[in-house]
Amino acid sequence: MRYPVFAIYIILMLIGNGFALFKMFNEKQEFLSNFPKLSEESFYLFRFLPLLNIVGLAGLWFYQTWAVWLSIACGLAVIFFDLYFGIYYHLYVAIISTAILLYFIIRYWNAFK
């Protein structure tokens, strides 16, 4: 890892997504009862996003170009899901973390080529 601040950010994102994955698999009924617009089918798709984001973050660690697009798509998908299903408390985390990730990607874009 060439850029230590970027490495620290990726590690923090991996920890956060790991926690989200843990919560999604252990508290399904809590999610479904707290957010009535969230159906069981959409919850399964929503639960898949942290896992997909972990794959993207692992690719970013090794400066893979495909990981840039996967991470951006995952970040935007999480923001869309949060808005659509009314999970507003998570928007603060999703928007800020996606914006910081975009900043790092733009700043170190040449490392991904």
Side-chain angles (χ1 to χ4, degrees):
M1 180 66 32
R2 291 176 243 172
Y3 307 105
V5 176
F6 188 43
I8 292 168
Y9 182 73
I10 289 176
I11 290 170
L12 290 173
M13 289 288 290
L14 285 169
I15 291 169
N17 279 283
F19 179 71
L21 196 60
F22 174 78
K23 293 283 278 186
M24 291 282 204
F25 276 92
N26 289 325
E27 298 182 6
K28 174 185 168 187
Q29 290 301 39
E30 185 178 328
F31 274 97
L32 293 175
S33 63
N34 287 341
F35 307 107
K37 287 179 70 175
L38 189 61
S39 68
E40 197 158 332
E41 294 81 20
S42 58
F43 178 76
Y44 289 125
L45 180 63
F46 193 53
R47 185 164 64 175
F48 181 66
L49 284 175
L51 183 62
L52 199 58
N53 205 10
I54 288 171
V55 171
L57 290 168
L60 286 177
W61 182 268
F62 295 106
Y63 295 100
Q64 299 295 313
T65 307
W66 60 265
V68 170
W69 304 112
L70 180 62
S71 297
I72 291 171
C74 284
L76 294 175
V78 168
I79 292 170
F80 172 75
F81 267 82
D82 286 349
L83 285 171
Y84 185 77
F85 294 113
I87 309 172
Y88 299 120
Y89 73 89
H90 186 254
L91 274 175
Y92 301 111
V93 174
I95 291 172
I96 292 170
S97 64
T98 303
I100 293 171
L101 184 64
L102 284 172
Y103 167 76
F104 280 126
I105 288 170
I106 291 168
R107 179 168 171 89
Y108 302 123
W109 178 251
N110 289 330
F112 291 101
K113 294 183 179 182

